Amino acid sequence: TSVFVRVRDRLGAVSETPPFPIQPGPCDTTTTTSTTTTTTTTTSTTPTTTSTTTTTSTTPTSTTTTNPTDPGTPPLLNTPENVRHCAVTTLVWSGGAAPYTLTVNPGFQPSAPFLEDLGTQTGNSYSWFVSFPSGTSLFIRLRDSQGRLSETAAFTVQPGPCDSTTTTSTTTSTTTTSTTTSTTTTSTSTTTTTSETPTTTTTTTTSSTTTSTTTEPPTSTTTTATSTSTTTSTTTTSTIPSGPTTVPSYNGWNSIGCFVDSVASRALPHIGSTAGGSGAMTVERCLDACQAAGYIFAGLEWSQECFCGSSFPSTPATDGRCNMPCKGNAAQLCGGSAGLNVYQNAAGPANGPSNLPSYNTWTYSNCYIDSTANRVLPTIGSFSGLLTIEKCLDACESRGYEYAGVEYGKECFCGRSAPPQVANDGRCKMACQGEMRIRWTIHLSSTLIFIVLSRKWQRALRRF
């Protein structure tokens, strides 16, 4: 068989090998069969005696068969049945050589990027928590350590514990009438029984009436009995919560919607360190982690990831991609594939960064408006490592500038004249990347808000 191999990374970049033929290997079967048959017939001249001898020699068959669990056997991944939303499905495979990698892929799209990476496995089964909504078409791809592939057939996710279910049952009435002739005395009785099942959704009522009438002629007695049984219709309705929902607010944090994220350019660049790890992720744990780290924006993604930041995410997501339940609480939404459920803390972190009033010969001035098209402090200050206020002030002072400004958490600018326009709305709130002592800022449109500190004019005063 002539084949080639294609590899696609998570960003969609593709690389392919040249075509090559498959050579015979351990999976091929060789069968050798040799059969020899010899027949000898002897007939005597005696009319009544006949002797026949038949000899058959068969060389045993030699067959070479590969053990189905041997690593030389290509992997075989079984197609799962009854895959349900918010439920665990066991994936089982045989053959191949460990370790194995598993990915979840969009159904009937073999060349499309995978939707979920299930990691590297060393055994022959994996318990997969299905976070995809019902109705999603998927297939699973397995690759062993020798690069051999096995794929399931495409399947559709069925409704599960996160989807609503309504069950209705109805029992129809039955009526029975019987007539009996006997030589008994006359009797009349009426019986009514009512029973209510002690539940809020089901009520059953049973009514029974028995009438006996006897006509007694001189020589015989006739008894007629009529029995009627009626059962009312019963309807039971059970409703399960309709899947995970967005937590609207928590401890000063408010949901601001679903936003687009990218591995190459994170909307919220800092990873939140949550209690219990990614497998126990909840909205509350992510928000607590970001607040403890001094950030005012927090986002949850892919059911188990937490990110923090100081800037408002730029691109809202309107395609419903934030649809995955949290690993630690399936009733909560924790983003989705390339989708962030974002929260903002309007009050700010309790132990957040603050302004630096003074440093050496420098004193704090104010918060001013800057523009990338027309910098109010035109010279870039050079420093090593991550930005702190002190590093920027030292850089500007070493070059003889009277004004220094820090911007966007990581930028330093120097100049000789005061900026013209003060920002009075308090938007200088972004933490320095080197330490969280300078207040944080929100980056809105193309206007950058930053803090400027001016050096004491000692040399200028001496000059006059």
Side-chain angles (χ1 to χ4, degrees):
T1 304
S2 179
V3 298
F4 72 93
V5 178
R6 174 185 293 133
V7 61
R8 181 189 302 271
D9 69 9
R10 191 166 187 175
L11 298 179
V14 175
S15 179
E16 298 177 349
T17 68
F20 56 88
I22 304 296
Q23 304 299 324
C27 298
D28 298 291
T29 302
T30 303
T31 303
T32 304
T33 303
S34 175
T35 304
T36 304
T37 303
T38 304
T39 303
T40 304
T41 303
T42 305
T43 304
S44 68
T45 57
T46 305
T48 61
T49 303
T50 301
S51 175
T52 301
T53 303
T54 302
T55 303
T56 302
S57 175
T58 303
T59 303
T61 300
S62 175
T63 303
T64 302
T65 305
T66 304
N67 188 329
T69 61
D70 190 277
T73 304
L76 177 62
L77 177 62
N78 298 329
T79 300
E81 298 180 356
N82 193 26
V83 179
R84 299 188 303 140
H85 182 209
C86 293
V88 175
T89 293
T90 301
L91 305 175
V92 180
W93 60 90
S94 61
Y100 309 90
T101 58
L102 289 169
T103 58
V104 183
N105 305 268
F108 306 103
Q109 301 181 54
S111 61
F114 63 80
L115 301 176
E116 182 178 1
D117 185 355
L118 301 183
T120 301
Q121 312 300 326
T122 57
N124 293 98
S125 64
Y126 176 76
S127 296
W128 170 40
F129 178 81
V130 183
S131 58
F132 295 92
S134 58
T136 305
S137 179
L138 305 168
F139 75 91
I140 310 297
R141 175 178 288 146
L142 177 144
R143 183 188 301 271
D144 71 359
S145 61
Q146 298 181 18
R148 295 174 295 185
L149 293 177
S150 179
E151 298 176 349
T152 68
F155 56 86
T156 301
V157 178
Q158 304 299 318
C162 295
D163 300 289
S164 60
T165 303
T166 302
T167 303
T168 302
S169 61
T170 302
T171 304
T172 58
S173 62
T174 303
T175 302
T176 304
T177 302
S178 62
T179 301
T180 306
T181 301
S182 65
T183 58
T184 60
T185 59
T186 303
S187 66
T188 302
S189 99
T190 301
T191 303
T192 301
T193 303
T194 301
S195 172
E196 293 188 1
T197 305
T199 64
T200 58
T201 58
T202 304
T203 302
T204 303
T205 303
T206 303
S207 175
S208 176
T209 302
T210 303
T211 303
S212 177
T213 304
T214 303
T215 302
E216 189 173 354
T219 59
S220 65
T221 301
T222 301
T223 302
T224 302
T226 301
S227 176
T228 303
S229 175
T230 303
T231 303
T232 61
S233 298
T234 303
T235 302
T236 302
T237 302
S238 174
T239 303
I240 299 175
S242 57
T245 58
T246 300
V247 176
S249 61
Y250 166 74
N251 197 24
W253 293 82
N254 297 307
S255 172
I256 59 175
C258 178
F259 290 80
V260 176
D261 193 24
S262 167
V263 176
S265 179
R266 289 291 185 190
L268 300 177
H270 304 282
I271 297 176
S273 180
T274 58
S278 61
M281 184 63 66
T282 65
V283 172
E284 295 85 354
R285 288 180 176 179
C286 179
L287 302 186
D288 288 342
C290 291
Q291 181 159 359
Y295 295 100
I296 59 170
F297 291 95
L300 298 104
E301 183 171 352
W302 201 255
S303 293
Q304 59 186 355
E305 298 174 351
C306 176
F307 296 97
C308 310
S310 300
S311 300
F312 201 97
S314 59
T315 309
T318 59
D319 55 1
R321 67 179 63 193
C322 292
N323 58 8
M324 292 186 177
C326 297
K327 288 283 190 179
N329 186 347
Q332 298 178 346
L333 278 174
C334 274
S337 176
L340 275 172
N341 277 118
V342 180
Y343 292 80
Q344 180 180 9
N345 190 337
N351 60 341
S354 59
N355 291 324
L356 179 65
S358 62
Y359 170 72
N360 291 340
T361 61
W362 297 84
T363 56
Y364 171 70
S365 175
N366 212 328
C367 177
Y368 294 84
I369 295 176
D370 191 25
S371 168
T372 55
N374 185 21
R375 292 289 187 189
V376 293
L377 298 180
T379 304
I380 296 176
S382 178
F383 58 91
S384 60
L386 299 176
L387 176 67
T388 65
I389 298 175
E390 295 86 346
K391 287 181 180 180
C392 181
L393 300 184
D394 289 342
C396 292
E397 184 167 11
S398 68
R399 301 179 65 177
Y401 289 99
E402 286 76 22
Y403 289 86
V406 287
E407 181 174 346
Y408 204 51
K410 60 183 179 180
E411 299 172 350
C412 174
F413 297 95
C414 311
R416 301 192 184 280
S417 59
Q421 186 176 357
V422 174
N424 294 317
D425 53 6
R427 291 180 292 174
C428 285
K429 298 178 181 180
M430 184 176 288
C432 289
Q433 288 189 350
E435 60 175 330
M436 293 180 182
R437 285 175 44 195
I438 190 164
R439 291 181 59 86
W440 1 288
T441 189
I442 300 175
H443 178 197
L444 297 176
S445 184
S446 62
T447 301
L448 298 176
I449 311 300
F450 70 103
I451 291 177
V452 174
L453 297 96
S454 60
R455 191 161 63 110
K456 290 181 179 179
W457 286 70
Q458 295 174 349
R459 284 184 294 177
L461 291 174
R462 284 197 299 269
R463 209 175 290 128
F464 286 104

